[in-house]
Amino acid sequence: GYPTDTLDLSPSLPPEHVVQDCMETFDKLPLETFGDSVIINCPGRCGGAGKLAGTLIYSPDSSMCWAAEHARVIGPRGGRAMVTRRHGQNEFFGSTEGSEQSQDA
C-alpha cells in the first residue's frame, strides 16, 4: 500500500478497519482486487513492531501502522490512513525516514 490522491475516489469513503495490534500486516486487510481501498485507524507508537520492508510502497507482510508512520501519513500518536491495493512487485527498497528504518526485501 502507499499514499494516494483522492481524485479518482467515489463520493463515499472506503470502509474503516480499526487496527487492534501494531503487528497487523497489509496482507490481512480485505483488499481482494486491484484498486480496492480501506481506511486503517492506527493506535500509535507502532514503530518497531513487526516487519517493515519498502518505502511508500511496502511489502504485504509489513506492519501497516508502522508503514504509515514511516511514510509520514500518521504521527506517533496514531491516526487514519488510506491503503489501496496495487499490483505486486518483486523487490522493495528500504529507507530511513526520521528515526524509522525500513528494510529491503
Side-chain angles (χ1 to χ4, degrees), residues 18-35:
V18 177
V19 177
Q20 301 295 326
D21 179 0
C22 289
M23 301 284 285
E24 284 188 52
T25 58
F26 289 111
D27 56 6
K28 303 297 186 230
L29 290 173
L31 301 174
E32 296 180 12
T33 60
F34 301 114

Side-chain angles (χ1 to χ4, degrees), residues 16-21 24 38-43 65 80:
E16 184 168 321
H17 173 80
V18 177
V19 177
Q20 301 295 326
D21 179 0
E24 284 188 52
V38 66
I39 295 173
I40 58 171
N41 188 340
C42 295
C65 291
R80 291 177 173 84

Side-chain angles (χ1 to χ4, degrees), residues 51-65:
K51 175 183 175 180
L52 185 63
T55 300
L56 297 179
I57 300 174
Y58 297 91
S59 66
D61 59 346
S62 288
S63 301
M64 63 181 101
C65 291

Side-chain angles (χ1 to χ4, degrees), residues 21-24 44-53 62-70 72 76 97 99-103:
D21 179 0
C22 289
M23 301 284 285
E24 284 188 52
R45 305 235 178 260
C46 288
K51 175 183 175 180
L52 185 63
S62 288
S63 301
M64 63 181 101
C65 291
W66 187 8
E69 287 183 30
H70 182 265
R72 300 291 189 245
E97 299 294 331
S99 63
E100 304 288 340
Q101 173 70 44
S102 66
Q103 303 299 314

